[in-house]
Amino acid sequence: MKIIKAIKNMRQLSKKAKTHNNIIGLVPTMGYLHEGHLSLIHRAKNDCDVVVMSIFVNPTQFAPEEDLKKYPRDFDMDRKLAESAGVDVIFYPDTKHIYTKDFSTFVSVENMDKIWEGKTRLAHFKGVCTIVGKLFNIIDPDVAYFGQKDAQQTAIIKRMVKDLNFNIKIVAMPTVREKDGLAMSSRNKYLSSEERKAALVLYRSLQEAEGMIKNREKRSDNVLKRIRSMVKKERLARLDYASIVNHKDFSSVSEISKTSLIIITCYIGKTRLIDNLVVV
Ligand code: AMP
């Protein structure tokens, strides 16, 4: 496995792979790897000849009061996990090379980036799209892998790829959960043991909603009422938002259908956790 820090070297490797007609798969991450990230790597390994995983804690997607400085990092652990999962290249650039002093160009997917996650985290998706666009230009992958766990992010990336004509296939992979249902996330590390138990309220509410929908409930407001009351009962949880949306553009829907997605975000203590469930 190669570890590449310089943009120039990354470009050279991709160019060489392309001359051999190798399919390049990219898995963009912020590191502190868990099974969720590894599921994307396994899929990329299955589909592609060369698997590149980027590790970059992207400052432009964090608001000033957010957890950029204390975001968990462990490059040694990531390196070992990536190698045993079969990653061919870790692209691990320095912030100063990605964002040079005079950096001034951003990508934003308008409207969709201002709702839900984008409403609480104002410049978040602009930062995400900018870094993902840069990674696409540097690495030139054929396929890129994203998690359903960050459903709005994945939908926004798909829109960016379509709107800006990136010649890249986007594959969305299902959310990997702990045995008890908590969606895996690097931020779960922040939870105390009491908060860890309370955090289950996200998945419990989604399951409850799923049960209602299976029992033919079609009205979003009825389902959302139940979700809100479940979260309210959990002392350490505070609901940021819950909604039922169209899976492509994230607009709210009043009637639930097969294209709907239930989204929920809660603060558990100071930690903000997101989750969602596809209605099938
Ligand atoms: P992050 O390092 O948190 O930026 O995540 C990198 C990629 O892994 C993103 O596409 C995430 O959606 C995906 N991911 C994170 N957690 C999970 C999970 N529990 N299951 C599946 N994919 C995930």
Side-chain angles (χ1 to χ4, degrees):
M1 185 180 73
K2 285 198 169 84
I3 297 168
I4 298 185
K5 285 186 85 77
I7 292 172
K8 181 176 74 157
N9 296 344
M10 186 65 243
R11 278 193 198 286
Q12 263 171 14
L13 188 138
S14 292
K15 203 169 163 195
K16 199 167 160 200
K18 296 257 153 146
T19 59
H20 290 96
N21 286 328
N22 283 336
I23 305 280
I24 302 177
L26 169 65
V27 179
T29 80
M30 298 206 296
Y32 211 73
L33 302 184
H34 51 65
E35 289 293 331
H37 299 110
L38 298 181
S39 73
L40 309 189
I41 295 170
H42 292 144
R43 174 67 189 269
K45 204 64 204 154
N46 191 57
D47 298 348
C48 307
D49 303 308
V50 178
V51 175
V52 181
M53 181 181 73
S54 58
I55 299 183
F56 184 65
V57 182
N58 175 37
T60 61
Q61 71 189 66
F62 289 79
E65 75 284 3
E66 285 182 346
D67 56 345
L68 172 64
K69 276 218 179 95
K70 71 172 187 77
Y71 192 83
R73 294 163 169 89
D74 188 343
F75 185 72
D76 263 358
M77 178 189 78
D78 290 346
R79 188 172 46 77
K80 286 181 196 137
L81 286 171
E83 183 144 37
S84 54
V87 167
D88 298 297
V89 180
I90 297 182
F91 180 51
Y92 184 49
D94 284 340
T95 306
K96 63 176 186 291
H97 294 139
I98 291 290
Y99 295 114
T100 48
K101 279 202 180 103
D102 52 355
F103 188 86
S104 48
T105 307
F106 290 86
V107 182
S108 81
V109 172
E110 303 205 335
N111 303 325
M112 258 174 99
D113 71 351
K114 310 248 170 359
I115 51 179
W116 313 121
E117 280 304 280
K119 194 166 180 188
T120 310
R121 308 183 69 191
L122 287 177
H124 175 67
F125 287 122
K126 188 168 138 190
V128 168
C129 289
T130 302
I131 189 62
V132 171
K134 282 172 69 75
L135 291 170
F136 285 177
N137 282 330
I138 294 166
I139 298 163
D140 194 15
D142 299 281
V143 195
Y145 297 83
F146 292 86
Q148 178 62 28
K149 151 90 180 3
D150 299 285
Q152 191 178 357
Q153 167 173 290
T154 301
I156 285 179
I157 297 294
K158 281 184 177 168
R159 178 62 62 84
M160 174 184 86
V161 162
K162 184 164 176 273
D163 289 353
L164 296 186
N165 306 95
F166 281 106
N167 192 16
I168 298 171
K169 182 178 166 200
I170 302 299
V171 174
M173 292 295 290
T175 301
V176 177
R177 299 180 180 280
E178 303 284 358
K179 277 204 183 83
D180 58 8
L182 180 68
M184 288 193 181
S185 164
S186 309
R187 288 191 168 97
N188 293 348
K189 174 190 157 65
Y190 299 150
L191 303 169
S192 67
S193 62
E194 213 188 341
E195 288 169 344
R196 172 68 183 72
K197 281 184 209 139
L200 283 176
V201 73
L202 283 97
Y203 187 57
R204 266 206 321 272
S205 320
L206 290 173
Q207 279 189 311
E208 177 75 12
E210 191 181 36
M212 287 175 79
I213 296 164
K214 280 201 174 124
N215 281 329
R216 302 216 160 76
E217 178 59 75
K218 289 257 178 268
R219 289 192 48 162
S220 294
D221 49 1
N222 289 339
V223 175
L224 292 172
K225 210 161 134 191
R226 183 81 62 88
I227 292 180
R228 283 191 200 105
S229 93
M230 284 183 75
V231 176
K232 217 170 193 172
K233 283 191 200 127
E234 182 54 70
R235 192 177 49 88
L236 295 177
R238 180 165 61 82
L239 188 69
D240 185 0
Y241 62 77
S243 187
I244 302 184
V245 299
N246 174 285
H247 76 286
K248 271 200 174 152
D249 64 9
F250 276 67
S251 57
S252 292
V253 295
S254 51
E255 190 168 299
I256 301 164
S257 74
K258 287 211 173 357
T259 57
S260 306
L261 187 73
I262 314 165
I263 56 174
I264 180 168
T265 298
C266 291
Y267 288 92
I268 306 291
K270 285 192 175 135
T271 306
R272 193 166 173 281
L273 298 179
I274 69 174
D275 205 343
N276 67 83
L277 203 84
V278 184
V279 174
V280 283

